[in-house]
Amino acid sequence: MAAVKSQAGPGAMQSTAGRKKGGLVRHCVRENADVQKHQQNSTLQSSLGLGEEWTANSEQSDTLLFLQSSNVSLPYRSPESVEMDEIMAAMVLTSLSCSPVIQSPTQRDPLPHGPLDVECGGGELSDSGSSGYWSWEHGSVSPAPSQTDSSMGQLADEGLHMELELGARDELETRRCKISSRGAYRCLWPGCGKVLTSRVGMKRHIRILHLGGPEQSHREEDFYYTEVSSEEEEPTPPSPSLSFTSGPWSSCSSTPSQPTSREAPPSSSALSQSAPSSVWQIHTEHLYQVTHACAPFEVNMSPDSASSCDWTSAGLQLRPQISMSRSRSISVGEQWLQRNSVPSRSHAMSASPSRGHCSIRKGRGEAKKCRKVYGVERRDQWCTACRWKKACQRFPD
DNA sequence: TGTGCCGGGGA
DNA sequence: TCCCCGGCACA
């Protein structure tokens, strides 16, 4: 914590970058070494070692002193080689621009051997490995720039997450290192979108530019960047952070969408989207109302007609209306239809109540009756039934 | 509107 | 029971 503050001072940008770069390598290596140590020895000792290192780092403001102090914390490394490496790293990186983007592998090539047989876990710092620490491209960059990162990120990490399992963290860091070796990091800060090739650089960028300065590191920056790699979309350790980062932004971006569906249903689009169901509902309601309110429509209202929108009745015109007034309007319309289209029948029904209950008048046959055959003038020639206005017996159907 | 026919009513 | 007719349904 304190180390982060002291290192990230206003004038310590470049040196900090250098430290980070160099440190990232060593971080991974050392950390893996620590893992092995944990496996071999006790975890307690390792933790104590880290704590000592951080304490020392926190008290150092000079890069060299920092590196030296860092060396102290690496009992398993050859102090000379480590010192040389870090000094060189500090020099190279100090000479470089602040922007990690500029850091091209060619600049690290001068030290490119040791493709790191010393994988993150392999690690014990062989001499060749010391030069390999700076190999950025070589696959096992995992041991790469994390020395300082360890002193910074790890400081914060350990400071905040002492209780985290070391193994899990190692895995995460390893994956980060691997990713950082190939991909880029894009700042997710609203309106920024800056892309850096270094995770450390990105973190620093976020911390300084967005989080209000180095004082607010606390690994918050992890939440504000994401890897942009050509090959992977590997869910980085910050998968939670990614989800979190995507949260605010996605919430911002999705704000128009979700509310659109949630808050703006009355909009035309929402209405149109919901039109089918509404139409169906209207149909259903209309059918229900027709079924219950108007018998004449019931005959015509088949589901097919409803689905095909073959609405010829006044009810169709009432569809767009609101449901509350809809039923009422439909009933009114159908009442109107009843009044206008079925008056005679209703009148007939009411006029002859006695006949309605049992008489099923058969359809009029095609056969001519006495009336037609003989005509009204010759009524005397009709059959008795015809004369009596009964069913014709002479020309029955 | 014309026709067929049912049902009611009167003689 | 016969006859007549009002009235409705249907084309």
Side-chain angles (χ1 to χ4, degrees):
Chain A
M1 304 294 276
V4 174
K5 292 179 181 180
S6 63
Q7 292 174 2
M13 292 290 291
Q14 294 182 350
S15 63
T16 300
R19 272 178 268 156
K20 285 184 179 178
K21 295 274 154 71
L24 182 58
V25 177
R26 201 179 64 184
H27 164 63
C28 291
V29 174
R30 184 184 56 89
E31 190 164 331
N32 288 283
D34 288 341
V35 174
Q36 290 183 349
K37 283 197 299 179
H38 284 288
Q39 294 176 353
Q40 295 175 356
N41 302 327
S42 68
T43 303
L44 180 60
Q45 290 178 351
S46 171
S47 299
L48 291 175
L50 290 174
E52 291 176 355
E53 175 184 353
W54 297 338
T55 302
N57 289 340
S58 65
E59 295 174 353
Q60 300 298 329
S61 60
D62 188 354
T63 301
L64 183 60
L65 290 177
F66 164 75
L67 294 173
Q68 289 177 349
S69 65
S70 298
N71 292 337
V72 176
S73 67
L74 296 173
Y76 294 100
R77 296 184 62 179
S78 170
E80 294 178 358
S81 62
V82 172
E83 181 177 356
M84 287 299 295
D85 289 340
E86 293 183 351
I87 291 173
M88 290 177 66
M91 292 175 64
V92 170
L93 294 174
T94 303
S95 64
L96 293 175
S97 168
C98 266
S99 175
V101 179
I102 303 174
Q103 297 169 353
S104 63
T106 57
Q107 291 175 336
R108 298 186 190 87
D109 283 343
L111 310 162
H113 336 321
L116 322 191
D117 307 328
V118 194
E119 257 298 318
C120 269
E124 223 21 64
L125 322 172
S126 62
D127 291 340
S128 62
S130 64
S131 59
Y133 296 154
W134 299 103
S135 171
W136 190 261
E137 300 184 313
H138 298 72
S140 50
V141 183
S142 41
S146 115
Q147 162 78 12
T148 27
D149 183 77
S150 71
S151 63
M152 298 203 43
Q154 274 293 340
L155 278 176
D157 278 346
E158 296 295 333
L160 292 176
H161 308 286
M162 224 19 158
E163 68 282 7
L164 289 179
E165 292 181 359
L166 193 61
R169 191 186 57 202
D170 287 340
E171 183 180 0
L172 296 181
E173 291 298 331
T174 302
R175 294 174 63 183
R176 284 187 182 183
C177 292
K178 289 181 179 178
I179 291 170
S180 65
S181 66
R182 296 174 183 175
Y185 296 91
R186 185 176 57 187
C187 179
L188 295 176
W189 193 270
C192 180
K194 184 175 182 178
V195 178
L196 297 178
T197 58
S198 168
R199 184 173 64 91
V200 178
M202 177 54 67
K203 291 173 71 173
R204 185 154 40 82
H205 160 79
I206 293 169
R207 190 186 314 125
I208 294 173
L209 293 182
H210 300 316
L211 294 179
E215 286 76 7
Q216 301 201 3
S217 62
H218 296 331
R219 291 180 65 82
E220 271 189 51
E221 56 273 18
D222 285 343
F223 298 109
Y224 297 105
Y225 72 89
T226 184
E227 306 88 50
V228 180
S229 177
S230 60
E231 63 171 346
E232 102 292 318
E233 211 37 66
E234 183 178 8
T236 54
S239 58
S241 67
L242 278 179
S243 62
F244 176 80
T245 53
S246 63
W249 321 144
S250 63
S251 66
C252 294
S253 61
S254 63
T255 299
S257 64
Q258 289 180 348
T260 302
S261 61
R262 246 189 275 164
E263 299 175 358
S267 65
S268 60
S269 61
L271 183 62
S272 62
Q273 290 176 354
S274 63
S277 61
S278 299
V279 170
W280 175 247
Q281 183 178 0
I282 293 171
H283 280 277
T284 305
E285 291 183 5
H286 185 69
L287 285 173
Y288 178 81
Q289 294 169 0
V290 166
T291 302
H292 289 78
C294 183
F297 276 112
E298 184 180 6
V299 177
N300 295 329
M301 302 312 285
S302 64
D304 292 339
S305 65
S307 62
S308 63
C309 295
D310 185 11
W311 294 70
T312 57
S313 66
L316 176 61
Q317 299 174 353
L318 301 173
R319 258 193 303 173
Q321 296 180 359
I322 302 171
S323 61
M324 292 301 292
S325 61
R326 192 189 307 148
S327 61
R328 183 178 184 84
S329 299
I330 287 176
S331 63
V332 171
E334 292 180 352
Q335 289 176 1
W336 180 85
L337 286 177
Q338 286 181 351
R339 285 197 302 268
N340 290 276
S341 64
V342 199
S344 62
R345 177 181 292 270
S346 62
H347 174 68
M349 295 293 285
S350 61
S352 60
S354 62
R355 297 169 61 186
H357 60 300
C358 63
S359 69
I360 299 175
R361 180 174 295 187
K362 60 184 177 182
R364 187 172 297 175
E366 295 295 327
K368 295 184 178 297
K369 303 298 179 179
C370 298
R371 184 184 187 110
K372 279 211 170 174
V373 172
Y374 303 104
V376 178
E377 300 79 1
R378 297 161 66 177
R379 186 177 179 176
D380 55 347
Q381 294 182 356
W382 293 2
C383 69
T384 306
C386 283
R387 280 188 275 132
W388 292 352
K389 282 187 156 182
K390 303 297 180 184
C392 181
Q393 296 173 352
R394 187 177 294 178
F395 306 101
D397 295 331

